[in-house]
Amino acid sequence: MNPKVLLVDDSSTALLLGETVFREHTSYEVVTARDGEEGLQKALAEKPDLILLDVVMPKMDGFAACREMRKQECLKSVPIVMVTSRGEPPT
């Protein structure tokens, strides 16, 4: 069985890019979600080996989703990489 990655992002472009990269360059099975709530549900149902989690999303942001995922025994050891396309002006 191939490892599984869960991509959670409200941007269709980011999801498409992530899916393309993982499918073309790795053996990962790709599962996607469009917001933190859906990401949490899919993480519990799919038991991914890796989660890429956007920070800024509707319904439940990435930080809240990450906290909820870490409360779940089955997800405690799954690596979560927080990602964002939001930039801050240089100081």
Side-chain angles (χ1 to χ4, degrees):
M1 182 188 316
N2 289 340
K4 191 180 299 185
V5 61
L6 172 61
L7 307 177
V8 186
D9 202 309
D10 61 325
S11 165
S12 298
T13 303
L15 287 178
L16 180 61
L17 178 63
E19 282 183 277
T20 301
V21 169
F22 273 95
R23 289 200 170 116
E24 290 184 7
H25 301 287
T26 74
S27 61
Y28 278 83
E29 177 184 339
V30 179
V31 177
T32 63
R34 304 277 316 193
D35 59 59
E37 286 180 2
E38 183 183 8
L40 177 58
Q41 292 169 356
K42 287 204 174 173
L44 290 168
E46 298 285 339
K47 309 293 190 286
D49 299 288
L50 172 66
I51 299 170
L52 294 177
L53 186 58
D54 185 23
V55 173
V56 181
M57 294 182 291
K59 295 186 183 177
M60 179 187 290
D61 70 24
F63 295 118
C66 183
R67 282 191 296 273
E68 291 302 313
M69 289 175 186
R70 287 297 179 231
K71 291 178 184 177
Q72 305 301 317
E73 190 62 39
C74 64
L75 299 174
K76 283 186 178 181
S77 65
V78 176
I80 298 174
V81 178
M82 303 294 288
V83 296
T84 188
S85 59
R86 183 176 174 216
E88 293 292 328
T91 55

